[in-house]
Amino acid sequence: MIPHERISAAIRAAGEDGRTALVAFMTAGYPDKALFRTTLAELAGAADVVEVGVPFTDPMADGLTIQRASQGAIAQGVTLSWILDEIAAMDPPPAAPVVLMSYLNPLLAMGYERLAARAIDSGVAGFIVPDLPLDESGPLDAALAARGLALIHLVSPVTPPERVAAAAQASRGFLYAVNVTGITGGKKAADGDLKAYLGRVVAASPVPVCAGFGIRSAAQVADLGQVVPGVIVGSALVEALEQGISPAAFLATLA
Amino acid sequence: MNRTASQAEAAPSDLEALLDGRLPDARGRFGPWGGRYVPETLVPALDRLQEGIAQHLHSAEFQGCLGAELRDWVGRPTGLTFAPRLSAAWGAELWLKREDLAHTGAHKINNALGQAMLAKMLGAKRIVAETGAGQHGVASAAACARIGLPCVVYMGEIDCERQALNVDRMRRLGAEVVPVTSGDRTLRAAIDEALRDWVSDPEGTYYLLGSVVGPHPYPYLVRELQAVIGREARAQVIERAGGLPDMVVACVGGGSNAIGLFHGFLGDPSVEIIGVEAGGHGTALGENAATISFGRPGVLHGTYSLLLSDDDGQVYETDSVSAGLDYPGVGPEHAFLATIGRVRYEYADDTESLAALDECCELEGILPALETAHAFAGARRWARANPGKRILLGLSGRGDKDMPTLARFPKQRAAQ
């Protein structure tokens, strides 16, 4: 199967099981670099898609939790190249499709062609790039699309309808609907406006829509699951990992 | 992408495009540089700002109001001062464009006032700003007080310590100052934090960016507001000195005072233009803030420009005695001017800049900002190699704010 189709198929398969798909986020190499493969394997066994965060020094769309995780990982020497090598070396490979979440500069530094080739070699299925809006995404998209890799675009509650439609058409794997006008890990998202907005996004999107930012409880997952096929859990999971809670056990509390 | 490839994308004829207003282009590009690399949440706010600029910035109404405020409240035009004793010491003819005489003590006020007025016109309810040395924070706080908008200033914890006087000034001017304890705890972390604040309320909040950096349309907007420096300076130097300077020089951190001054002279082929970056205490990554000299192409804070980052794309901490130059990026228009070779960029280190500062104090009775001291160091070197020539130096700000830092260094005597 083409890499980006693995992602959308995994999300749709959860729906066929009567579940809301869980996209689980971890920052690579945090809290403990030595446990990266173990944690990723465990998450990939429990979630439908895993989003692995590439640490960056200036994560402008992220809140304190993911900032702290990024700094901790960088301090341990985690780099994009190391992450790709580690995923490539996993035996067996992660059970669920893996996408990398990275700010643009580390991707730019590697070079898009080399990045795409190494992603294929590592079994990574796609990328989420929070500081790359649709208008600037052409060069990276070309390198990824040529190899069937996903470039997952983001939309937010303030995105005008025509941009939502354009992002949905361009997105491969899934479309990331940001729940709040703000950074990750902040205010909880759950009200009527939110569901109306997500409903509009779903209606515009040929690929599955996953909602993220501020998701911390089973009640939220159930509530949003009425509208979207999948949700993304980030800061809450990073905090659980910091406390030594098993990722599978934490994800089980959200189901 | 490597630097050679990027350089190939811009040609010298692009200077004409810049001069006749075709750059930045519709996507905010100066050749390959610039653009808009921000979270999707900010795109509509940037679109609104771009529309607001197109509608108001050059309108007779806005320019009339801004011009009156620049005259009556800021004190423009700022003076042009001949520097007789430095001229004698250097063997050149040195003229100083005195932005240190502008209200609040630096060129920053031109931009802060203009953007605050624009923000109010566009319906903003509050202003957020970031500051390094504190000059942009003070200017923003003062401009917001003048027009009646609440102002929150993010400032790195380290900068709060080394610029404590400015923190107090901002608070007295009614601004809320938020010390940033994350990241490198300097200007860059403050920008990260201001952007996060803005992402959280892009409709009611206006982000008053302090330099020619950031996503389009900020590099354009800030340049347009600072271009008053170069317009005034060109007319003044022709009138007072009887002709154009042979060389124009300014310090470059993000690069707003430099771009403002340079724009007056880019179309004069006889004028050599030099930007002086912060050489810190060494040439290795992390020891300086000389982005154009030592950086590589990259994306930070919403723009594609030159950047002090490593092979893995991580942005490096910078080091300079001058908080206002201590930034790992540079405005995309400077990257463009470097690429096409219209402006030459060099650097001066901490020691050389401190010596130049003391020399200016002793010979001209002017205490320049530590940022500006880098321009003096660069000008001094050029004067020695070009005796008898006329130099115009952008004296971007006054050094009162730097007294706590200067107290750590024994007074220098410039090497003769």
Side-chain angles (χ1 to χ4, degrees):
Chain A
M1 201 183 292
I2 298 169
H4 72 81
E5 289 177 352
R6 284 186 64 210
I7 302 169
S8 34
I11 295 163
R12 290 194 174 109
E16 283 156 17
D17 288 352
R19 294 184 295 111
T20 302
L22 279 180
V23 179
F25 173 87
M26 66 179 290
T27 296
Y30 183 81
D32 185 348
K33 189 180 172 188
L35 294 178
F36 173 58
R37 288 193 220 172
T38 312
T39 309
L40 175 53
E42 197 179 334
L43 268 184
D48 299 286
V49 176
V50 182
E51 183 188 342
V52 171
V54 177
F56 182 53
T57 40
D58 297 76
M60 68 157 97
D62 285 302
L64 286 176
T65 300
I66 292 174
Q67 261 188 80
R68 181 172 66 235
S70 270
Q71 281 166 12
I74 289 169
Q76 295 180 71
V78 172
T79 63
L80 173 60
S81 193
W82 178 86
I83 294 166
L84 288 164
D85 284 344
E86 285 288 300
I87 298 174
M90 284 174 72
D91 184 22
V98 172
V99 298
L100 298 189
M101 187 287 283
S102 177
Y103 287 84
L104 189 61
N105 206 50
L107 310 183
L108 203 56
M110 181 170 280
Y112 296 158
E113 286 302 318
R114 188 158 158 251
L115 173 76
R118 290 196 60 186
I120 290 289
D121 290 345
S122 305
V124 164
F127 291 84
I128 299 171
V129 189
D131 60 346
L132 187 67
L134 190 59
D135 325 71
E136 302 282 6
S137 64
L140 176 61
D141 195 40
L144 299 182
R147 292 174 175 82
L149 292 160
L151 180 57
I152 293 157
H153 289 289
L154 295 92
V155 296
S156 93
V158 294
T159 307
E162 63 277 11
R163 278 186 72 85
V164 170
Q169 291 298 329
S171 214
R172 294 185 299 279
F174 66 87
L175 177 64
Y176 194 136
V178 175
N179 279 334
V180 295
T181 306
I183 53 179
T184 58
K187 52 198 170 188
K188 278 190 187 174
D191 57 33
D193 286 350
L194 172 63
K195 282 162 89 171
Y197 145 70
L198 291 176
R200 286 195 301 275
V201 175
V202 168
S205 181
V207 290
V209 174
C210 295
F213 283 37
I215 292 177
R216 301 187 159 265
S217 70
Q220 282 174 294
V221 175
D223 192 39
L224 296 179
Q226 294 169 10
V227 194
V228 289
V231 297
I232 302 149
V233 183
S235 298
L237 180 53
V238 170
E239 284 159 20
L241 291 173
E242 282 178 327
Q243 290 158 20
I245 297 168
S246 126
F250 179 77
L251 288 182
T253 67
L254 296 177
Chain B
M1 182 181 291
N2 61 40
R3 189 164 173 181
T4 314
S6 319
Q7 284 173 332
E9 290 172 43
S13 63
D14 289 343
L15 181 61
E16 289 165 29
L18 184 73
L19 291 174
D20 66 22
R22 283 178 285 137
L23 296 181
D25 64 17
R27 293 176 58 217
R29 299 278 179 174
F30 300 87
W33 309 106
R36 194 188 261 187
Y37 296 89
V38 293
E40 182 61 38
T41 300
L42 292 181
V43 172
L46 290 170
D47 281 339
R48 276 197 304 278
L49 177 57
Q50 202 170 332
E51 286 161 22
I53 290 169
Q55 198 181 342
H56 299 295
L57 184 64
H58 294 290
S59 71
E61 185 197 356
F62 184 81
Q63 285 295 323
C65 294
L66 179 62
E69 284 293 90
L70 286 174
R71 182 188 67 223
D72 299 338
W73 186 69
V74 173
R76 301 207 75 90
T78 58
L80 181 77
T81 303
F82 178 60
R85 298 187 68 204
L86 276 175
S87 294
W90 293 358
E93 182 187 330
L94 178 65
W95 294 83
L96 309 173
K97 177 59 177 166
R98 300 290 305 279
E99 293 304 290
D100 60 319
L101 297 179
H103 180 47
T104 67
H107 68 287
K108 294 287 186 185
I109 194 69
N110 307 321
N111 170 52
L113 175 66
Q115 283 198 54
M117 289 173 66
L118 189 64
K120 190 158 193 181
M121 204 168 234
L122 298 178
K125 301 284 179 273
R126 69 192 274 271
I127 299 280
V128 295
E130 83 297 328
T131 197
Q135 285 309 102
H136 175 58
V138 168
S140 298
C144 288
R146 175 75 175 172
I147 65 165
L149 274 178
C151 180
V152 177
V153 181
Y154 291 95
M155 187 169 185
E157 198 178 38
I158 291 173
D159 292 335
C160 285
E161 284 165 22
R162 56 184 173 180
Q163 303 289 347
L165 289 174
N166 271 341
V167 173
D168 195 39
R169 280 173 84 190
M170 285 183 261
R171 290 186 170 141
R172 282 179 193 277
L173 288 163
E176 179 191 345
V177 181
V178 181
V180 178
T181 56
S182 59
D184 68 357
R185 296 180 294 142
T186 67
L187 176 59
R188 171 176 140 217
I191 296 178
D192 287 340
E193 212 53 41
L195 282 167
R196 288 194 189 98
D197 182 316
W198 190 32
V199 171
S200 302
D201 176 29
E203 296 188 346
T205 296
Y206 180 90
Y207 179 25
L208 206 170
L209 210 153
S211 192
V212 284
V213 299
H216 181 63
Y218 281 107
Y220 166 76
L221 173 60
V222 178
R223 177 250 275 177
E224 288 298 287
L225 292 168
Q226 292 293 8
V228 65
I229 303 172
R231 280 197 302 273
E232 285 178 8
R234 189 173 188 279
Q236 288 168 323
V237 76
I238 288 171
E239 186 198 334
R240 298 274 310 286
L244 286 168
D246 298 297
M247 192 274 272
V248 170
V249 60
C251 61
V252 177
S256 70
N257 98 87
I259 215 81
L261 180 64
F262 294 171
H263 255 263
F265 300 91
L266 287 173
D268 297 311
S270 68
V271 179
E272 187 175 347
I273 304 179
I274 297 176
V276 186
E277 299 189 299
H281 66 275
T283 56
L285 207 52
E287 293 179 345
N288 60 71
T291 309
I292 296 179
S293 302
F294 300 116
R296 63 174 83 202
V299 166
L300 178 70
H301 296 145
T303 195
Y304 177 64
S305 186
L306 291 165
L307 188 62
L308 291 167
S309 69
D310 65 15
D311 290 343
D312 296 306
Q314 301 296 351
V315 182
Y316 255 63
E317 293 192 10
T318 51
D319 194 67
S320 167
V321 67
S322 155
L325 301 183
D326 212 349
Y327 180 66
V330 68
E333 191 169 354
H334 284 291
F336 172 78
L337 291 169
T339 307
I340 64 170
R342 178 62 188 101
V343 177
R344 187 155 61 82
Y345 294 86
E346 49 189 55
Y347 58 90
D349 67 19
D350 290 347
T351 307
E352 191 184 5
S353 303
L354 284 160
L357 179 142
D358 282 334
E359 188 183 30
C360 179
C361 285
E362 286 196 13
L363 296 186
E364 296 297 339
I366 296 170
L367 169 61
L370 270 169
E371 291 78 10
T372 315
H374 290 72
F376 276 99
R380 188 176 197 281
R381 258 188 259 148
W382 190 89
R384 290 292 159 96
N386 297 275
K389 301 282 191 182
R390 181 181 298 144
I391 299 171
L392 175 67
L393 183 149
L395 209 170
S396 56
R398 65 180 181 232
D400 310 35
K401 67 180 173 61
D402 295 315
M403 289 311 293
T405 304
L406 292 173
R408 301 205 319 268
F409 297 93
K411 205 169 115 182
Q412 308 279 318
R413 269 283 185 188
Q416 294 303 306

